[in-house]
Amino acid sequence: MGLQAAAEVVRGSRSKNSRLERGESPPKHHDVMDLLRASGVREPATLATVEDLLRKTDENPGGTATPTSPPAGCAA
C-alpha cells in the first residue's frame, strides 16, 4: 500500500504517514487497526496481538522496546 492509499485509510495526509513510517510520530491505536484491516489482516489472534502491543505502548510511552518478530500474518 502506498502513502496516498494509507493516508486515505487513516483519514490523514501522506506526510503524516511518512512521519509514522520514520518513527517521528506515534501512531494512533485506531490508525494501526484500520491499516491492518485495509491490508487484509483478519486473523483474530493477530489483531489481538497487535492490540496488546498497542496497549503496552500506551502504558509505557517512550519506553524501550525489545525487538520481536511480527505477528503471524503481518509482513515485516
Side-chain angles (χ1 to χ4, degrees):
M1 175 181 311
L3 284 175
Q4 185 60 43
E8 292 170 11
V9 169
V10 299
R11 299 153 308 279
S13 66
R14 290 176 55 154
S15 59
K16 171 186 173 178
N17 283 2
S18 184
R19 287 190 302 275
L20 291 172
E21 285 183 340
R22 292 190 309 265
E24 296 173 358
S25 178
K28 290 187 168 69
H29 179 103
H30 61 87
D31 290 344
V32 173
M33 299 310 291
D34 288 347
L35 285 168
L36 285 174
R37 290 184 186 101
S39 298
V41 176
R42 300 277 189 270
E43 174 62 39
T46 300
L47 295 172
T49 298
V50 173
E51 287 197 24
D52 183 53
L53 291 169
L54 288 166
R55 186 175 50 256
K56 288 177 181 176
T57 300
D58 289 343
E59 293 169 0
N60 187 22
T64 58
T66 303
T68 61
S69 299
C74 291

